[in-house]
């Protein structure tokens, strides 16, 4: 699943909130300086409600200025001098908004000019400090490539230089070019402009299967079979950016975007808008905070029993495979004996699922209390920590083990095109009755292709029913 690039004002929501905070602090400073702290003692300050009303209005004045100006355009590329000019301009718009409000409400006479003047100066200084400080944090994270998507460029040898010149060297893009595939000759192992050539036309799909790749950029000057190639890549769960080609055969989920100076048509299994992505992540954060309360309660109840029945840690951690092949630490309450992983090899012949998963009824590796905990999914509760960290979502696809992932066919990777989840389509579709991994993949890709906030809500409701009934988890 692919999230659309943010619009300008949404993209800089962090700076908007910082400027709002700076304006509020500046107003407090102005009033505090003028009245020598009387603001703290409401009974000694007759006009306090006027400034309180202004404080409540300030965020809306600030936001109105943002919507009608371009104060954040190119903010990360500005010098300190340019940022100072931009900050002054932004604060002047805020002050103008305050004056217009005072005039409209006919309350100009009741406000202290001195307090507002001090507030205006403080607003410039505080906003400038906040902006410059936060830009340093962002630039540092960008240089470390934190949270950037992994992009592979596919091009011909005659056009690859021009393509990489535009896409590969700006630290401000939301993606990082980690490799290039040259399709008209085998240049694997070489470097072009410092970017490694990781594949040829013959080895491209194998590279994508075995490496962390989020998106693929197809240069529009490559061969005519590009439409077919784009379609195959999308089927594997990858997001594809196609530059200047006919798109009749592409999937219907597509949007026009700009990557560098290229106008591309982006297609993916599903494209979420910014509102949907924000609501999903907000729900994950709130849900995980509530879930961690239940983790604490479960720990108090079950930790002594786990320790009594099997010596060892209460929590079990394991490396799992997340979105597009990323590895992360996965947490559960331990429900098996300490030698469970070693004994798994002996039990593989009794695996009840054909394919790249392991499932066994009456698994002898499970401790007595573990059967109860698994029946009601209590062992899964610590994964709320993974959700809060951002490794997982509450609703998604279940993350595979490393050895399972290594045996994936290319089309299996489609189920990893979103964050893994605590629950999902497979969990609420009678997972104990599903014995073919291909059916699991089909359910997961169906979920991704048809994702919506309402579908997540339906799955959550079904999950509650499944957990309370103790169904589908043996």
């Amino acid at each position: 699943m692919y999230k659309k690039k943010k619009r300008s004002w949404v993209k800089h929501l962090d700076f908007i909130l910082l400027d709002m905070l700076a304006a509020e602090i500046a107003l407090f400073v102005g009033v505090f300086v003028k009245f020598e702290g009387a603001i703290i003692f409401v009974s000694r300050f007759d006009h306090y409600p006027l400034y309180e009303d202004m404080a409540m209005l300030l965020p809306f004045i600030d936001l109105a200025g943002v919507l009608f100006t371009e104060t954040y355009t190119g903010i990360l590329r500005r010098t300190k001098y340019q940022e100072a000019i931009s900050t002054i301009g932004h604060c002047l718009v805020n002050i103008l908004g305050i004056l217009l409000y005072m005039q409209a409400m006919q309350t100009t006479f009741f406000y202290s000019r001195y307090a507002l003047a001090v507030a205006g100066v403080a607003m410039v200084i505080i906003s400038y400090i906040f902006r410059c400080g936060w830009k340093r944090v962002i630039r540092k994270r960008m240089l470390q490539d934190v949270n950037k998507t992994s992009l592979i460029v596919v091009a011909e040898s005659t056009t690859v230089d021009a393509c990489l010149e535009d896409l590969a060297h700006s630290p401000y893009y939301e993606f990082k070019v980690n490799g290039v595939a040259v399709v008209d000759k085998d240049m694997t192992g070489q470097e072009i402009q410092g970017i490694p050539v990781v594949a040829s036309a013959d080895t491209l799909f194998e590279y994508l299967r075995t490496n962390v790749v989020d998106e693929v950029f197809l240069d529009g000057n490559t061969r005519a079979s590009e439409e077919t190639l784009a379609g195959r890549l999308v089927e594997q769960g990858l997001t594809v950016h196609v530059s200047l080609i006919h798109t009749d055969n592409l999937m219907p989920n597509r949007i026009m975007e700009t990557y560098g100076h290229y106008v591309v048509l982006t297609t993916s299994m599903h494209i979420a808008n910014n509102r949907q992505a924000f609501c999903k992540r907000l729900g994950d954060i709130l849900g995980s905070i509530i879930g961690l309360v239940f983790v604490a309660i479960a720990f108090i109840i079950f930790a002594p029993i786990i320790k009594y029945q099997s010596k060892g840690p209460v929590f079990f951690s394991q490396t799992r495979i997340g979105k597009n092949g990323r590895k992360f630490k996965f947490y559960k309450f331990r429900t098996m004996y300490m030698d469970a992983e070693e004994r798994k090899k002996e039990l593989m012949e009794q695996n009840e699922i054909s394919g790249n998963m392991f499932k066994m009824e009456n698994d002898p590796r499970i401790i007595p209390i573990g059967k109860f905990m698994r029946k009601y999914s209590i062992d899964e509760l610590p994964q709320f920590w993974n959700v809060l960290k951002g490794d997982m979502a509450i609703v998604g696809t279940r993350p595979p083990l490393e050895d399972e992932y290594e045996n994936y066919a290319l089309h299996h990777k489609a189920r990893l095109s979103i964050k893994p989840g605590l629950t999902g389509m497979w969990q609420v579709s009678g997972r104990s009755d599903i014995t073919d991994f291909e059916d699991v993949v089909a359910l997961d890709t169906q979920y991704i292709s048809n994702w919506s906030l309402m579908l997540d809500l339906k799955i959550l409701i079904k999950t509650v029913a499944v957990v309370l009934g103790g169904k589908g988890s043996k």
Side-chain angles (χ1 to χ4, degrees), residues 451-462:
W451 178 82
S452 67
L453 294 171
M454 185 57 65
L455 178 58
D456 274 5
L457 180 60
K458 290 179 180 178
I459 291 174
L460 284 173
I461 294 172
K462 288 183 178 180

Side-chain angles (χ1 to χ4, degrees), residues 114-126:
Y114 180 77
L116 295 179
V118 172
V121 174
M123 193 185 303
V124 172
I125 295 172
I126 298 172

Side-chain angles (χ1 to χ4, degrees), residues 267-285:
T267 179
S268 186
M269 292 179 69
H270 189 90
I271 295 178
N273 61 41
N274 292 311
R275 178 186 59 82
Q276 291 173 322
F278 173 79
C279 290
K280 183 173 177 68
R281 182 56 186 153
L282 179 62
D284 286 342
I285 292 172

